Amino acid sequence: MPTRRRAPALVPPLPAVQVARGTVADALPDGAEALLLPVTAGSDGVEPREGAVEAAVRYRIDLGDLAERSGATGAAGDVAAIVLPRGHGDVALPWTDLPHRLGLVGVGDGTATSLRRAGAAVARATRGWGTVVTSVASGSAPEVQQAFAEGYLLGAYRHPSRAARPSPGPAESLVLLGGDADAVRRAEVVARAAWTARVLAVTPSNTKTPAWLADRATELAEAAGLEVEVLDERALAAQGFGGLLAVGGGSATPPRLVRVTYRPASSGRPAHVVLVGKGITYDTGGLSLKQRQAMVPMKTDMTGAAVALATVLGAAEAGVSHEVTALLALAENAVGGASYRPGDVLTVRGGTTVEVSNTDAEGRLVLADALVHADLTLDPDVLVDVATLTGAATTALGRTHAALFSPDDDLADGLAAAGERAGERLWRMPLVADYRPAIDSAIADVHHVAGAGFTGAGAITAALFLQGFVGHRRWAHLDVAGPARASAAAHEVPEGATGFGTRALLAWLSGEV
């Protein structure tokens, strides 16, 4: 395992999740403020699950009455809690030994998805509380317990705030009765990676320049004992990174390319996975200027780079058996005297010439440079790029699914299955060969957007463009433009930057790639 140093304070520590032996029929941990019991919806109302019946017997609780008074439904992600009255003077009530808050947590059908939602709901319902004890995941399979802990940790996340009075934080501690410590540890690895991607994505762009992001990536990589290399604008020019230099040319802060590599300690030759992330630290659209309202969320246009970085850090912490490299293509697409123009012809890494028609389609240009660089210098067995690339993907799939493109059936199936397990759904889209002429150019090797006479299929033509820069590598493209940003919090996903892709990629890297 890599030698680790003290991690920088960019990402706050996760809330405490502890595992305790015993059941709710035993004495609860000292200082417990709340006891949460699992229930599900039955034909005759709410039905108890693991531990709830034992608690009802031990503490003489009428679960039916409790469900009715608290409004519990048993649906996955429903939490209903009441505050128990205390006795007065010498009068002792049957629940004297109980914490003063008692709640019912809906677990739905008991699957990993339902328990992940239950965990997130518990996190939101218990903000500002002390020690919370629960049997919600007791007796479940390890992957289900991991999902519950993941949901809790992901739901407990709050975007960094510079307000004088931030909202209440998570409960002081969550105690899982009969929990699996290894499952909790795996959940912490995944949640820490997702938190990292989210924090980086929401950092305001007056702070988050390409150089700033390269510095933070370096700090995080070095703290994890990983190899890191940063190419500045002079090195990029010397090696022919025409896409990054053009996109970043209008900004006062020049572009960067960052490489972070994790090498497992296992013997033999592990598979080498290279993750390429689009890192546009702010996107005005360049000279093809966006409307004001479309610019507002553009501090998150580097989500792909944040996800790639967070994934390699998570892979190192989990000790996956594959070698993993993250390539972060970082630039600010600003407006200035040196901005690149519609009508320009660029020469990207490797010598391909590209006709530019829309400077707001900048992501595919920086990805082209990074993909060629990976192919020429890193010898990847598998190449995966992650990007908030097209509005077309959002139009097609909305905010809950990312578009997945790959000519490799096994790779596409593996990624989609991993996304399903992790709670980040990937929908495979076609690489339509008949659409390839849309990006032909009369004055360059390729046109970076569909030319005149072609309409629609914007996510597909963007993927076809990228495919031309991967050589003969096994390759997949994740267009996360929709789910990388959420208009409202839902389950384990916060409003705003979601870090989408981190969990799916870590789940995929945990098995065969």
Side-chain angles (χ1 to χ4, degrees):
M1 294 292 291
T3 301
R4 291 181 172 82
R5 307 174 192 173
R6 179 184 293 274
L10 176 71
V11 181
L14 299 176
V17 178
Q18 302 174 10
V19 171
R21 295 183 178 180
T23 70
V24 291
D26 304 318
L28 297 180
D30 293 339
E33 180 178 330
L35 173 63
L36 302 182
L37 303 171
V39 294
T40 190
S43 56
D44 297 323
V46 170
E47 295 180 356
R49 293 292 291 263
E50 184 77 25
V53 172
E54 294 89 337
V57 173
R58 168 73 170 77
Y59 298 107
R60 289 180 284 175
I61 303 168
D62 185 334
L63 287 176
D65 177 65
L66 176 60
E68 183 176 349
R69 286 194 293 133
S70 65
T73 68
D78 173 69
V79 177
I82 63 171
V83 177
L84 296 172
R86 292 306 189 197
H88 179 71
D90 296 331
V91 177
L93 298 177
W95 49 77
T96 300
D97 294 335
L98 272 173
H100 78 281
R101 297 182 193 269
L102 186 62
L104 301 179
V105 179
V107 297
D109 58 6
T111 61
T113 297
S114 292
L115 267 293
R116 189 179 294 109
R117 292 181 174 185
V122 167
R124 292 197 170 95
T126 59
R127 290 192 185 279
W129 293 10
T131 298
V132 176
V133 180
T134 183
S135 64
V136 166
S138 297
S140 300
E143 62 271 18
V144 176
Q145 294 200 36
Q146 178 181 339
F148 177 74
E150 270 183 28
Y152 176 79
L153 293 169
L154 293 167
Y157 169 85
R158 296 180 301 167
H159 290 311
S161 173
R162 300 180 184 182
R165 294 182 179 179
S167 58
E172 291 179 7
S173 178
L174 178 70
V175 179
L176 306 181
L177 293 175
D180 183 316
D182 290 336
V184 171
R185 180 187 177 278
R186 290 192 296 272
E188 288 173 339
V189 171
V190 173
R192 192 162 16 252
W195 279 40
T196 299
R198 291 172 179 179
V199 168
L200 289 171
V202 298
T203 299
S205 295
N206 60 327
T207 296
K208 184 176 55 189
T209 65
W212 181 91
L213 188 50
D215 288 345
R216 301 294 82 72
T218 298
E219 291 173 357
L220 289 165
E222 290 180 345
L226 306 184
E227 295 178 14
V228 60
E229 176 188 33
V230 179
L231 301 184
D232 63 14
E233 65 271 28
R234 291 179 295 277
L236 293 172
Q239 297 185 43
F241 285 82
L244 267 167
L245 291 167
V247 172
S251 174
T253 57
R256 296 285 186 270
L257 184 82
V258 181
R259 175 185 63 82
V260 177
T261 297
Y262 156 71
R263 303 185 195 278
S266 57
S267 59
R269 186 190 182 280
H272 185 195
V273 177
V274 175
L275 307 174
V276 174
K278 171 190 170 185
I280 303 300
T281 58
Y282 192 76
D283 183 18
T284 66
L287 293 179
S288 304
L289 196 66
K290 293 179 182 289
Q291 294 184 347
R292 181 204 62 80
Q293 62 269 28
M295 285 193 212
V296 173
M298 284 300 106
K299 66 183 179 181
T300 66
D301 207 26
M302 39 58 68
T303 292
V307 167
L309 174 62
T311 300
V312 74
L313 294 170
E317 186 177 1
V320 303
S321 60
H322 311 293
E323 180 179 344
V324 184
T325 293
L327 274 185
L328 320 180
L330 310 178
E332 181 182 34
N333 190 23
V335 178
S339 292
Y340 75 123
R341 297 158 288 264
D344 284 357
V345 174
L346 311 177
T347 302
V348 300
R349 180 86 160 95
T352 299
T353 57
V354 180
E355 179 185 359
V356 174
S357 292
N358 179 2
T359 63
D360 195 21
E362 81 298 327
R364 66 199 71 184
L365 294 173
V366 303
L367 289 176
D369 270 346
L371 289 168
V372 173
H373 186 68
D375 179 42
L376 293 177
T377 67
L378 298 177
D379 191 24
D381 295 293
V382 185
L383 189 52
V384 179
D385 71 77
V386 189
T388 50
L389 202 63
T390 66
T394 307
T395 300
L397 298 175
R399 298 289 182 187
T400 61
H401 289 67
L404 163 62
F405 295 88
S406 179
D408 186 313
D409 291 342
D410 289 341
L411 177 56
D413 290 347
L415 284 165
E420 192 67 31
R421 292 196 306 273
E424 294 185 325
R425 290 170 287 183
L426 311 175
W427 190 266
R428 191 178 185 186
M429 301 281 278
L431 285 162
V432 184
D434 288 347
Y435 296 168
R436 177 59 184 76
I439 54 174
D440 286 345
S441 170
I443 62 171
D445 294 324
V446 66
H447 202 165
H448 92 307
V449 296
F454 294 91
T455 58
I460 296 174
T461 54
L464 289 168
F465 174 83
L466 294 177
Q467 189 177 18
F469 297 93
V470 302
H472 299 289
R473 309 292 176 177
R474 296 183 69 204
W475 163 75
H477 161 57
L478 304 183
D479 189 336
V480 299
R485 307 177 184 105
S487 56
H491 307 303
E492 74 272 22
V493 176
E495 181 180 0
T498 66
F500 186 99
T502 308
R503 290 186 277 151
L505 288 170
L506 283 174
W508 173 64
L509 287 168
S510 68
E512 294 296 325
V513 299

